């Protein structure tokens, strides 16, 4: 996915952007001038510094304060029960399932960047895969809170697992809600292992560079005796490829299983075969939007513009353009099938979704998921406009939340029998728990960027010109001098 910069005529404009290769006109993946030592110092210095920026403390305190909303909301929920939420009959599913699907979707970009782009040997992923993987894990943590609390009796959540018990009662394996448990737990397990394995070489580097005994012991324990030997590198590469192969099907399967929560129900608006690919594309769409939301402030706050370059931002915007187009196709097929099916129920569902009491939510998602992104991301100038991309990423994630809201609420609150019609209004506790999970996600991410290497040093070093074997190129002695 080559990203070309603006064409420049040296005779007219002698000022050449150093981030653009004059031979190809493409934006660089890494800024010129880096060597092994500078890459290591820049990334390891953020973790090993004794002078933590005040902005980091401020952000951590704010995130912790927002997380208290989750703690307070869950505490009151356990004391009073799910009646404090806005769920009613027929709208028995509310914010809990909406937020669960939204958070799971956000984590998909991390797996795609880590696994699929690794198998396709896309080296531009190296600068962003580490915090994209962290985003995946933290999003799954936030998503996992909702199945535990929305079942009504969270202390009995272990009943979802097939454990030996004297009652001989096992989960209902024909229920997609039980499938969610196995899909999400597998997804979380593989993601954590993949994330940790990828950091082992960097832990070895931090162990060797740490000056404080506690830091040296901590990173030494995490490095598992890493010495950088040939045998270690061979096993590291083999493990990475194996985990990438295991993770790749999860990108497709996890959100497919999530979509079955709706698709297997005999309910207008849910009972459709387009949901699996539609949900997967939407998950990658929202996931890359969240990666942009995180990457843009990080590269600015920690001065990482030379490692997370415009090439990365433009490529992620292109992926959003592709997946957003698939999502738009899914929206169009929903409208088409409501008409083509000649089903009165399907037709009314779509009319009610557009023009009913909740119609405003449908048009918000059309505006934020299709109208704004898919008319602007075709422009290369806007794809490399950092401010625009950051605002657009927030717009897209807002739209993807409204997509889940529309799917869940508008299909439930007006079902087949008009006598059963109702409405849905979220309560302050719904909002408190939802915003609290945002605080938890941000809190975990602040801890990650401070105490773990947010960009993989070993993979960035492999991309430097010094590693290319060329006639008259760098030899072992030159590389050794640069590392020292």
């Amino acid at each position: 996915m080559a990203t070309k910069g603006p064409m420049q005529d040296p005779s007219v404009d002698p000022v050449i952007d150093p981030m653009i290769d004059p031979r190809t006109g493409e934006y660089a993946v890494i800024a010129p001038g880096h060597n092994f030592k500078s890459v290591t110092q820049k990334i390891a210095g953020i973790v090993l510094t004794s002078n933590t920026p005040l902005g980091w403390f401020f952000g951590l305190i704010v995130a912790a304060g927002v997380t208290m909303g989750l703690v307070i909301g869950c505490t009151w929920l356990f004391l009073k029960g799910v009646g404090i939420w806005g769920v009613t009959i027929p709208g028995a599913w509310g914010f809990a399932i909406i937020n669960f699907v939204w958070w799971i979707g956000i984590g998909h970009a991390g797996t795609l960047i880590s696994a699929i782009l690794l198998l396709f040997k896309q080296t531009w992923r190296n600068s962003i895969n580490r915090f994209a993987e962290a985003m995946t894990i933290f999003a799954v943590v936030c998503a996992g809170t909702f199945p535990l609390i929305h079942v009504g009796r969270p202390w009995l959540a272990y009943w979802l697992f097939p454990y030996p018990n004297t009652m001989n009662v096992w989960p209902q394996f024909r229920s997609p809600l039980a499938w969610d448990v196995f899909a999400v737990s597998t997804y979380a397990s593989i993601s954590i292992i993949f994330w940790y394995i990828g950091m082992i070489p960097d832990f070895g580097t931090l162990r060797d560079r740490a000056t404080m005994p506690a830091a040296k012991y901590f990173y030494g324990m995490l490095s598992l005796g890493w010495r950088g030997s040939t045998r270690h590198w061979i096993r590291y590469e083999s493990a990475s490829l194996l985990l990438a192969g295991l993770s790749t099907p999860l990108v497709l399967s996890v959100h497919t299983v999530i979509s079955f929560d709706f698709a297997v129900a005999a309910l207008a608006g849910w009972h459709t075969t387009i949901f699996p690919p539609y949900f997967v594309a939407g998950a990658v769409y929202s996931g890359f939007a969240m990666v942009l939301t995180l990457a843009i402030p990080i590269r600015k706050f920690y001065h990482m513009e030379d490692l997370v370059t415009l090439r990365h931002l433009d490529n992620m915007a292109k992926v959003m353009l592709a997946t957003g187009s698939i999502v738009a196709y899914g929206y169009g097929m929903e409208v088409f099938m409501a008409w083509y099916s000649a089903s009165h129920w399907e037709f009314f569902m779509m009319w009610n979704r557009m023009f009913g009491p909740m119609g405003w939510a449908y048009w918000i998602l059309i505006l934020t998921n299709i109208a704004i992104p898919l008319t602007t991301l075709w422009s290369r100038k806007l794809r490399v406009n950092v401010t625009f991309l950051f605002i657009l990423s927030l717009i897209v994630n807002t739209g993807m939340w409204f997509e889940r809201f529309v799917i869940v609420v508008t299909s439930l609150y007006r079902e087949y029998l008009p006598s059963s019609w109702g409405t849905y209004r979220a309560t302050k506790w719904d909002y408190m728990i939802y915003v609290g999970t945002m605080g938890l996600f941000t809190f975990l991410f602040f801890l990650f960027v401070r105490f773990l290497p947010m960009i993989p040093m070993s993979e960035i070093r492999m991309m430097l010109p010094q590693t290319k074997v060329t006639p008259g190129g760098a030899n072992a002695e030159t590389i050794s001098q640069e590392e020292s």
Side-chain angles (χ1 to χ4, degrees):
M1 299 177 70
T3 305
K4 292 187 176 181
M7 300 303 295
Q8 299 186 13
D9 185 355
S11 62
V12 177
D13 185 5
V15 179
I16 303 298
D17 188 344
M19 291 300 296
I20 299 176
D21 189 335
R23 296 171 300 174
T24 63
E26 299 173 0
Y27 284 108
V29 178
I30 301 177
H34 272 298
N35 54 36
F36 296 102
K37 184 176 181 179
S38 65
V39 169
T40 303
Q41 286 180 338
K42 190 174 187 68
I43 300 173
I46 297 173
V47 179
L48 299 177
T49 182
S50 57
N51 299 318
T52 305
L54 292 178
W56 181 86
F57 284 109
F58 176 77
L60 187 72
I61 292 171
V62 171
V66 176
T67 306
M68 287 305 298
L70 174 64
V71 176
I72 295 171
C74 288
T75 301
W76 194 245
L77 174 70
F78 297 159
L79 293 174
K80 290 294 188 179
V82 294
I84 68 171
W85 287 347
V87 290
T88 57
I89 300 299
W93 279 6
F95 264 40
I97 195 72
I98 294 169
N99 299 334
F100 167 70
V101 178
W102 186 73
W103 277 117
I104 288 292
I106 282 177
H108 266 54
T111 309
L112 188 145
I113 292 171
S114 302
I116 296 180
L117 296 185
L118 173 63
L119 296 177
F120 281 96
K121 298 182 179 180
Q122 297 293 312
T123 55
W124 64 270
R125 61 175 278 283
N126 291 349
S127 294
I128 60 175
N129 71 325
R130 179 68 52 75
F131 59 78
E133 293 168 5
M135 178 196 74
T136 294
I137 295 169
F138 302 151
V140 171
V141 169
C142 294
T145 59
F146 290 101
L148 293 178
I149 64 178
H150 92 277
V151 294
R153 296 188 178 119
W155 51 90
L156 300 179
Y158 65 93
W159 283 9
L160 293 169
F161 293 94
Y163 71 101
N165 61 85
T166 56
M167 296 179 290
N168 290 324
V169 177
W170 274 35
Q172 174 55 277
F173 286 112
R174 289 178 293 180
S175 169
L177 297 178
W179 307 344
D180 286 351
V181 175
F182 296 97
V184 174
S185 59
T186 303
Y187 182 52
S189 302
I190 295 296
S191 298
I192 292 172
I193 295 172
F194 199 8
W195 185 54
Y196 177 68
I197 292 294
M199 288 192 289
I200 288 178
D202 289 351
F203 285 145
T205 301
L206 294 175
R207 172 202 61 201
D208 297 337
R209 296 180 65 88
T211 56
M212 298 178 61
K216 188 177 289 289
Y217 178 81
F218 175 71
Y219 295 114
M221 181 176 61
L222 293 177
S223 67
L224 301 179
W226 175 269
R227 298 189 306 276
S229 64
T230 302
R231 178 180 296 179
H232 284 183
W233 277 112
I234 291 174
R235 291 176 177 173
Y236 169 80
E237 296 289 347
S238 300
S240 297
L241 288 175
L242 177 63
L243 290 169
L246 292 173
S247 300
T248 298
L250 291 176
V251 176
L252 304 176
S253 65
V254 172
H255 228 60
T256 296
V257 172
I258 298 296
S259 73
F260 289 161
D261 292 352
F262 309 97
V264 301
L267 186 67
W270 288 6
H271 195 63
T272 174
T273 56
I274 201 175
F275 265 23
Y278 168 36
F279 268 55
V280 171
V284 176
Y285 189 34
S286 62
F288 269 88
M290 182 59 79
V291 173
L292 283 173
T293 304
L294 298 174
I296 290 173
I298 283 176
R299 71 192 290 271
K300 181 68 175 179
F301 185 77
Y302 287 104
H303 308 291
M304 290 288 183
E305 291 90 347
D306 51 347
L307 298 179
V308 182
T309 67
L310 293 179
R311 176 81 167 269
H312 301 94
L313 303 185
D314 186 42
N315 285 349
M316 287 190 283
K318 289 178 180 177
V319 175
M320 287 178 60
L321 178 61
T323 53
S325 300
I326 299 174
V327 171
Y329 173 78
Y331 293 159
M333 286 304 297
E334 281 188 314
V335 177
F336 173 77
M337 291 309 297
W339 167 79
Y340 188 72
S341 65
S343 168
H344 169 74
W345 313 111
E346 290 285 344
F347 183 84
F348 174 77
M349 177 279 302
M350 187 52 64
W351 182 91
N352 180 61
R353 183 173 287 182
M354 292 180 174
F355 305 109
M358 298 286 185
W360 57 271
Y362 181 81
W363 296 111
I364 286 177
L365 83 88
I366 294 297
L367 177 68
T368 53
N369 279 352
I370 299 179
I372 297 176
L374 300 190
T375 56
T376 56
L377 288 178
W378 291 101
S379 169
R380 179 183 299 163
K381 290 183 179 179
L382 293 178
R383 288 201 306 268
V384 296
N385 186 312
V386 178
T387 303
F388 170 78
L389 281 181
F390 180 72
I391 296 173
L392 184 69
S393 67
L394 298 176
I395 291 173
V396 168
N397 268 319
T398 301
M400 291 308 298
W401 187 90
F402 272 101
E403 178 196 292
R404 278 59 180 240
F405 177 86
V406 167
I407 290 174
V408 172
V409 173
T410 60
S411 296
L412 283 175
Y413 81 109
R414 287 191 171 182
E415 294 188 21
Y416 296 105
L417 296 176
S419 59
S420 300
W421 288 1
T423 188
Y424 176 80
R425 286 189 180 88
T427 67
K428 64 180 180 181
W429 302 105
D430 289 298
Y431 289 107
M432 182 180 292
I433 292 176
Y434 172 50
V435 175
T437 57
M438 291 184 178
L440 175 62
F441 178 86
T442 310
F443 180 80
L444 294 174
F445 202 83
F446 269 106
L447 294 178
F448 160 71
V449 299
R450 176 61 183 87
F451 296 108
L452 297 177
M454 71 176 83
I455 296 177
M457 291 179 279
S458 58
E459 296 182 24
I460 294 297
R461 290 196 292 255
M462 292 177 186
M463 296 169 58
L464 295 175
Q466 293 90 322
T467 61
K468 307 298 187 292
V469 180
T470 56
N475 54 30
E477 182 179 355
T478 304
I479 292 175
S480 176
Q481 291 174 353
E482 288 181 349
E483 285 186 312
S484 60

